[in-house]
């Protein structure tokens, strides 16, 4: 049985995640949801491409093992926004480094939406 990774990721997000993230970024929930819908497949594809070789897979694991990446955040994604967004802002800084590692000089093209330029 095949598993659709995009569906798994989307199901892991709280129903109002786009609204909460949009509020932090000063964007509407609809705009943020649209950007997330566009970016999630790009991120999954980037991870798959990077992890296709042994060295790339090791690089992905190193990114995820970074102390700045807190896996417990997945248990309460809504909590990212509970402290005025400080946790989300910290996570976005870590995410920026991960995007650069995944996409290199094409990071700007991968994150071409105006919403992501603010991160």
């Amino acid at each position: 049985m095949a598993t659709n990774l995009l569906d798994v990721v989307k199901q892991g997000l709280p129903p109002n995640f786009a609204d909460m993230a949009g509020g932090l970024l000063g964007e509407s929930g609809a705009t943020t949801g649209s950007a997330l819908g566009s970016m999630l497949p790009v991120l999954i594809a980037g991870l798959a491409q990077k992890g296709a070789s042994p060295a790339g897979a090791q690089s992905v694991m190193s990114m995820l093992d970074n102390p700045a990446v807190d896996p417990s955040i997945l248990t309460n994604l809504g909590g990212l926004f509970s402290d005025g967004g400080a946790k989300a802002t910290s996570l976005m800084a870590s995410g920026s480094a991960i995007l650069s590692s995944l996409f290199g000089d094409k990071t700007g093209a991968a994150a071409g939406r105006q919403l992501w330029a603010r991160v």
Side-chain angles (χ1 to χ4, degrees), residues 22 29 39 43 56 81 107 112 118-119:
M39 289 305 299
L43 290 172
F81 309 101
T107 300
R118 295 180 183 186
V119 174

Side-chain angles (χ1 to χ4, degrees), residues 1-113:
M1 178 165 103
T3 300
N4 184 325
L5 291 177
L6 184 57
D7 287 342
V8 170
V9 171
K10 285 180 180 180
Q11 290 171 1
L13 296 174
N16 60 343
F17 186 79
D19 291 329
M20 291 186 295
L24 178 69
L25 297 169
E27 295 287 341
S28 72
T31 299
T32 305
S34 176
L36 285 170
S38 298
M39 289 305 299
L40 287 175
V42 173
L43 290 172
I44 291 170
L47 284 167
Q49 182 176 6
K50 182 88 168 180
S53 70
Q58 181 59 43
S59 175
V60 169
M61 291 307 297
S62 293
M63 285 187 279
L64 297 175
D65 285 339
N66 183 330
V69 177
D70 179 8
S72 70
I73 202 97
L74 296 174
T75 61
N76 183 16
L77 286 173
L80 279 172
F81 309 101
S82 64
D83 61 351
K87 289 178 188 172
T89 301
S90 174
L91 185 62
M92 286 188 291
S94 298
S96 178
I98 291 171
L99 284 175
S100 293
S101 177
L102 284 176
F103 300 111
D105 64 348
K106 299 201 181 349
T107 300
R113 293 192 173 265

